[in-house]
Amino acid sequence: NPFNLEYRIIRPDGSLRYLESRAEVAYDTQGKTIRLYGAILDITERKQAEIALKQSEIRYRAIVEDQTELIARYLADSTLTFVNQAYALYFRRSPEELIGSNYQPIIFEADRERISQLIASMNADNPVVIIENRVLVADTVRWTQWHNRMLFDEQGCFIEFQTVGRDITALKQIEEKLFQEKELAQVTLQSIGDAVITTDAFGRIQYLNPVAESLIGCSEASAQGLPLLEVLRIVDEITREPVQNPIEQALQSNRIVGLANHTVLINQNAQEITIEDSAAPIRNREGQIIGAVMVFHDVTENRKLSRQLSWQATHDALTELVNRQEFERRVEQALHLAKLDYQVHALCYLDLDHFKIVNDTCGHLAGDELLRQITTLLQEKIRKTDTLARLGGDEFGVLLTQCTIEQALRVANELLLCVQKFRFVWQEQVFSIGVSIGLVGIDANNESLTEIISTADAACYIAKNRGRNRVYVAQINDQEQLQRRGEMQWASRISQALENDWFCLYAQIIVPIGPTAKNGVHYEVLLRLHDEQENLVLPMAFIPAAERYNLMHLIDRWVIRTLFSNWSTLVGDQQSIYAINLSGYSINDDQFIDFLHEQFILHPISPQRICFEITETVAIANLRKARQFIEELQRMGCSFALDDFGVGMSSFAYLKSLPVNYLKIDGSFIRNIVENPVDNAIVAAMTHIASVMGIQTIAEFVENDAILEQITALGIDYAQGYWIGVPQPLS
C-alpha cells in the first residue's frame, strides 16, 4: 500500500527539521517487491506555522473561556457555531446543546423583530452594532447588552457574527427606578399646588414650575438665568418695606430659612398675593452648595379665612357683638388692671324679661331680629371704650371701664329705661320688652373672674326674682346672692356628676292594699348623689339648681339610660313595674320620645314594666303638650302616674284632660288623714273620682299603721311610705 509519513530528523548541525515522505512499493508479476519510489518533502516551515496557530488557538480559547462575558459566534441564519462556558452557564445549557441550534428562541419574543432588523442593518461599513434586549433564562426574563461584530476573512468575505454580552438586569432596574423617581419628581413639581423656583449658586433662576409661573406672572423661559430679585418682588404687608431675598439668605447662611409673617408678593401684573415660603440650599455629594430652591404658596384666602375665623371665635354671629369667651378675657384684663393700678370698673349682667314670649309666639326668626334690635339700642347708650357682649340666649354683658359703681348704676338705669320704652313689632304684633340687670363693681378686692361673673349673674337672677325690669347692685354678704352662688356651684357639680357617674339609683316599694289593685308590687326609682366626699346627697339639695340651669332633662336621661342598661343586674326576673320620675323639661323636649324609642330598641325591656311619673303642676303648665306626651308613651305600652295630686288649684278639672293610669295622692293629705277630717274627706273624694274614671290610686307618706288602715278603708289601691318600706339602693 502507498504510505505518507511525517517525522522529525536531527541534522548534523543539531537543527530539527520536519519531513514528509510519500512512497509507493512496486511489485513484479510474481508479486515480489521490485522497488520503493516516492519523494521526501521538508515541511518544517508549515509545521512551525501549524504549531504556532494551534498554540494561538489554545491561548484564544483559554482567554475566551476565562471571560465572564457571554461570548458566542453565529451564522447569518442565527445558527450558533461557538459559545464560551460563561454563555452556556448563563443560559443553563451545555455548549453541545447550544452549538448548531438557532439562538432566536433565547431572545424574548417582543424583542426578536427589532434585533433582526438591527442585525440586518450591519454591513462592511457598519460592522458593529450594540443591542440591548431581554432574554429568557429558565422561564425568567433578564436584560442583556450585546456587542455584535461581523467577522471577515483575509479577502474581506463575511464569515460569521461574533457577539459579546453581559447581564444588565440590575442596571436596568436602577435605571427604571431612577427614571420613575425623575418622572415622579418632574410630575410632582409640575402638579403640586406650591410654587417652586430653583437657582444656581449665584441666585440665578434655573427652573420655575407652572404654579410659580402663574403666581409670578412670567414664564420659565423668560426668567431663566435672571437674578431672583428681578423676577420676584416681595414686601412686608404692613410696612411695605422690601423683604430680604430668601434664596440669598439660604445661600449665605447655608441653612433652611422661612419668610416672615405678613409677606406679600407683588407679581409682574401688579397683583398682591400673600405668601408663605421656605428656601433651602442645594448641595452636591461633597457638600458644596450648587444652588438653592424656594417653595412658596398663595395663602391669601387662608389669611383672610384665618382673620375671619379669629373674628368668629371672639364674636357672636347673630349680633356681631363679642361673645362670652372674649368678654370674659376683657373682664379678666380689667381685673388685672384694677389690681395693678387700683383702677375701678363695673360689670352689668342683662337678661331680657319677655324674650321667650316673642320666641314662642312668633318663632326664632322674630327672636333673632329682636336680639339684633336690642343690640343696636344698647350700643347707643355705652361709650366706645366699654364692651357690650352677647353671653348666650337673651343674656348680655356690659363691661364699663374706668367707671365707679355710682356711675355704673346710672348707666344701668339708662339701659333699663331705653329697653322699657322700646316696642318690638313683628307682623303687626307689638311686644314690650323688659330687662333685669345685675350690677357688680370690679376693683382690687375682687378675687377672680369667676367670682365677678357669678356675682353679676346672681345679682341679675335676684333682680328677676324681685319682679323683673329692675337693677340689682350686688352687695357683700348678700344672702340672696350667696344662695344664688350656691345654685351655680351645684350646677357645676351636677355636670361633673353626670360625667363621672356620681349619681346612683334607689328604689322605694309600692304595695297593693286594695282589692281593686290591678298589678302587684311596684317600685318608684329614686335618685341620689354621692358628692366629692362620698356623702349621700338627697335630690332636693340639687334639683332646684338643675331646674334653674336646664340640666333636668340630662338627669332624666341618665336615670333611664342607667336603669335600662343595668336592667338584668338591678331588676332581675321579677315582674314588677318600675316608676320613673320625669321633669317638665323632658316633656317639652321634642327629642325625648325618640330617645325613649332608642332605649327600648337597645335593651330588651317590656314597656309594660315601665311607668312614668310627672307632677300635677308640670302637667298643668302645658296641658296640651302633657296630654300628647302621655298618649304617645301609652301607645308604646308604658303606663303613666300623676304625682303630687291635689296641690293644684283645679286638680279635678284638669284630671279629665289627662289619660293617666295612676293617681298619686300628695303626702300632705295622707300624713294627717287620721287626725284631720278635712284631709280624710278630700282623699275620699279623690279616691271616688279616680275609681269612677278607672284610675288606680296610690297614697304617699304612709308613715304608720293607723294611716295604712284608714287609706285601706277608703279604698285606695296602693300604699307607699316609710311604714311600707324605706328607699333602698337599687341592686
Side-chain angles (χ1 to χ4, degrees):
N1 293 325
F3 61 89
N4 190 336
L5 298 174
E6 288 184 4
Y7 53 91
R8 290 166 290 179
I9 65 169
I10 300 175
R11 295 198 299 183
D13 61 3
S15 60
L16 184 69
R17 304 296 292 180
Y18 284 87
L19 303 179
E20 179 183 14
S21 294
R22 297 176 182 175
E24 288 187 5
V25 180
Y27 299 93
D28 58 14
T29 55
Q30 286 79 32
K32 293 181 179 180
T33 303
I34 300 175
R35 62 182 180 277
L36 180 70
Y37 65 94
I40 298 172
L41 303 175
D42 188 326
I43 59 170
T44 302
E45 284 75 17
R46 192 188 79 189
K47 266 301 193 183
Q48 288 173 341
E50 285 180 0
I51 290 168
L53 181 62
K54 187 170 288 186
Q55 289 175 344
S56 175
E57 184 177 348
I58 290 169
R59 285 194 295 273
Y60 168 75
R61 276 189 174 275
I63 291 169
V64 168
E65 291 299 340
D66 289 343
Q67 290 296 316
T68 56
E69 281 85 358
L70 317 179
I71 301 173
R73 291 195 295 273
Y74 58 94
L75 301 174
D77 63 357
S78 302
T79 301
L80 289 166
T81 60
F82 169 80
V83 296
N84 71 343
Q85 196 66 26
Y87 189 101
L89 287 172
Y90 183 77
F91 288 105
R92 302 180 187 180
R93 295 166 70 180
S94 67
E96 292 74 22
E97 288 180 280
L98 291 167
I99 293 171
S101 68
N102 191 305
Y103 76 85
Q104 280 284 351
I106 294 171
I107 300 168
F108 189 61
E109 187 175 0
D111 295 344
R112 290 175 190 172
E113 185 178 347
R114 174 173 61 85
I115 290 173
S116 296
Q117 290 174 355
L118 288 170
I119 297 296
S121 70
M122 296 172 69
N123 52 48
D125 297 325
N126 180 35
V128 177
V129 170
I130 298 173
I131 301 173
E132 290 183 358
N133 63 272
R134 290 161 290 181
V135 297
L136 295 171
V137 180
D139 297 326
T140 62
V141 178
R142 309 283 297 177
W143 271 100
T144 51
Q145 184 186 72
W146 303 93
H147 286 246
N148 292 274
R149 178 182 293 277
M150 296 181 74
L151 301 180
F152 300 95
D153 61 15
E154 293 176 355
Q155 287 74 39
C157 296
F158 169 70
I159 303 172
E160 60 185 356
F161 295 99
Q162 178 175 286
T163 184
V164 178
R166 62 191 179 101
D167 188 299
I168 59 169
T169 304
L171 184 63
K172 277 289 182 183
Q173 288 171 343
I174 292 169
E175 282 182 3
E176 181 64 23
K177 188 175 181 181
L178 288 173
F179 175 78
Q180 289 175 356
E181 288 178 357
K182 182 182 176 183
E183 280 291 296
L184 179 62
Q186 197 71 21
V187 170
T188 301
L189 289 174
Q190 296 289 329
S191 60
I192 62 173
D194 286 357
V196 180
I197 302 174
T198 60
T199 72
D200 61 17
F202 302 100
R204 293 187 293 254
I205 293 174
Q206 291 184 323
Y207 170 78
L208 300 179
N209 75 339
V211 178
E213 290 179 327
S214 173
L215 291 180
I216 294 172
C218 69
S219 66
E220 180 187 6
S222 62
Q224 209 159 33
L226 295 177
L228 182 66
L229 285 181
E230 287 190 23
V231 175
L232 188 74
R233 183 185 167 205
I234 47 180
V235 300
D236 185 278
E237 184 179 22
I238 299 167
T239 65
R240 312 305 292 179
E241 292 294 321
V243 174
Q244 187 178 359
N245 179 349
I247 289 282
E248 186 180 306
Q249 280 183 278
L251 291 172
Q252 288 176 355
S253 62
N254 192 19
R255 63 182 178 84
I256 298 172
V257 296
L259 273 180
N261 288 332
H262 310 295
T263 300
V264 170
L265 162 69
I266 302 175
N267 67 15
Q268 303 291 312
N269 303 318
Q271 291 177 309
E272 292 194 5
I273 302 167
T274 307
I275 61 170
E276 287 180 354
D277 94 326
S278 64
I282 302 172
R283 303 179 184 87
N284 61 15
R285 288 183 178 180
E286 288 74 38
Q288 296 172 325
I289 295 177
I290 58 173
V293 58
M294 177 178 170
V295 180
F296 61 96
H297 55 277
D298 182 354
V299 294
T300 306
E301 288 302 316
N302 288 0
R303 200 65 63 78
K304 190 186 298 180
L305 180 61
S306 177
R307 284 193 291 266
Q308 185 180 344
L309 289 174
S310 177
W311 187 91
Q312 288 176 349
T314 57
H315 287 75
D316 171 54
L318 178 65
T319 61
E320 298 187 356
L321 297 174
V322 297
N323 59 16
R324 177 181 284 272
Q325 184 179 0
E326 175 63 13
F327 183 71
E328 289 182 354
R329 187 191 68 79
R330 296 188 188 187
V331 173
E332 194 158 31
Q333 188 177 34
L335 177 60
H336 174 71
L337 292 173
K339 290 180 180 293
L340 191 67
D341 296 334
Y342 297 99
Q343 296 180 8
V344 289
H345 315 286
L347 186 147
C348 295
Y349 201 105
L350 289 72
D351 191 325
L352 299 182
D353 288 335
H354 302 298
F355 176 75
K356 192 174 186 302
I357 295 174
V358 176
N359 236 9
D360 293 348
T361 306
C362 303
H364 292 293
L365 288 177
D368 291 348
E369 180 57 28
L370 170 58
L371 292 173
R372 281 191 287 264
Q373 291 186 24
I374 288 291
T375 296
T376 305
L377 199 66
L378 297 176
Q379 280 178 321
E380 293 173 353
K381 299 297 179 183
I382 62 173
R383 302 167 298 178
K384 291 187 182 298
T385 55
D386 299 329
T387 300
L388 173 64
R390 184 185 177 203
L391 305 181
D394 59 347
E395 296 175 343
F396 293 84
V398 179
L399 174 61
L400 303 167
T401 57
Q402 301 286 352
C403 184
T404 66
I405 199 72
E406 292 79 12
Q407 293 168 326
L409 183 56
R410 285 197 293 271
V411 174
N413 281 317
E414 285 181 20
L415 296 175
L416 183 74
L417 190 61
C418 78
V419 175
Q420 265 183 340
K421 292 179 179 178
F422 172 69
R423 296 293 178 270
F424 177 65
V425 181
W426 183 265
Q427 296 177 350
E428 299 181 358
Q429 295 187 68
V430 181
F431 298 91
S432 296
I433 307 298
V435 64
S436 299
I437 303 176
L439 176 61
V440 62
I442 302 173
D443 55 31
N445 296 318
N446 290 113
E447 292 181 4
S448 65
L449 166 70
T450 305
E451 179 210 29
I452 294 168
I453 297 293
S454 64
T455 302
D457 185 16
C460 179
Y461 181 65
I462 293 166
K464 195 172 280 287
N465 270 1
R466 290 193 173 184
R468 303 175 185 265
N469 205 33
R470 64 192 62 223
V471 179
Y472 184 86
V473 181
Q475 303 292 332
I476 299 171
N477 298 325
D478 190 323
Q479 288 304 312
E480 287 188 72
Q481 183 183 317
L482 291 173
Q483 181 185 347
R484 174 73 174 121
R485 277 199 211 166
E487 286 186 2
M488 292 173 69
Q489 290 170 356
W490 261 119
S492 173
R493 292 167 71 186
I494 290 167
S495 298
Q496 283 184 289
L498 288 167
E499 288 177 13
N500 301 318
D501 270 341
W502 292 348
F503 286 112
C504 59
L505 297 180
Y506 273 57
Q508 187 176 25
I509 193 168
I510 304 171
V511 297
I513 59 171
T516 57
K518 296 178 181 177
N519 298 296
V521 172
H522 293 201
Y523 291 91
E524 180 179 359
V525 178
L526 303 171
L527 186 66
R528 299 290 186 266
L529 170 65
H530 287 291
D531 64 12
E532 294 87 336
Q533 288 76 39
E534 291 297 320
N535 298 318
L536 199 65
V537 182
L538 296 177
M540 288 317 297
F542 57 82
I543 291 297
E547 290 176 339
R548 162 65 180 157
Y549 288 97
N550 298 326
L551 298 172
M552 279 307 301
H553 69 291
L554 298 177
I555 293 175
D556 289 348
R557 290 188 181 213
W558 184 92
V559 171
I560 293 168
R561 196 181 291 113
T562 304
L563 179 65
F564 280 30
S565 59
N566 297 282
W567 184 266
S568 59
T569 306
L570 301 179
V571 175
D573 297 330
Q574 58 176 313
Q575 296 301 307
S576 303
I577 293 175
Y578 282 79
I580 301 170
N581 289 281
L582 291 182
S583 66
Y585 297 93
S586 292
I587 292 173
N588 291 312
D589 182 358
D590 294 335
Q591 279 80 47
F592 182 81
I593 298 292
D594 294 334
F595 163 76
L596 200 56
H597 274 291
E598 181 185 79
Q599 292 303 306
F600 277 120
I601 291 169
L602 290 173
H603 308 289
I605 299 167
S606 169
Q608 283 75 19
R609 304 280 302 280
I610 301 298
C611 175
F612 289 104
E613 291 187 10
I614 60 169
T615 64
E616 180 190 358
T617 50
V618 166
I620 292 170
N622 194 340
L623 196 63
R624 184 181 60 83
K625 185 79 173 179
R627 181 183 178 85
Q628 291 175 348
F629 187 83
I630 292 169
E631 289 174 344
E632 181 67 29
L633 292 186
Q634 287 176 334
R635 277 194 290 272
M636 291 171 61
C638 302
S639 53
F640 227 93
L642 193 61
D643 198 8
D644 298 341
F645 186 75
V647 296
M649 293 294 292
S650 305
S651 299
F652 293 137
Y654 287 118
L655 188 58
K656 292 190 296 182
S657 303
L658 297 170
V660 295
N661 306 95
Y662 299 96
L663 205 63
K664 297 191 77 172
I665 300 170
D666 189 69
S668 61
F669 300 107
I670 302 298
R671 186 181 287 114
N672 300 314
I673 194 170
V674 177
E675 300 86 8
N676 192 324
V678 175
D679 287 344
N680 187 76
I682 292 173
V683 172
M686 291 178 183
T687 307
H688 177 68
I689 290 173
S691 176
V692 171
M693 296 180 70
I695 301 173
Q696 298 270 287
T697 51
I698 302 171
E700 299 180 302
F701 286 84
V702 178
E703 297 174 346
N704 54 54
D705 195 43
I707 294 174
L708 180 60
E709 288 181 7
Q710 186 66 22
I711 62 172
T712 304
L714 290 174
I716 289 178
D717 300 296
Y718 295 90
Q720 178 182 2
Y722 275 41
W723 184 254
I724 306 300
V726 297
Q728 298 286 343
L730 186 57
S731 61

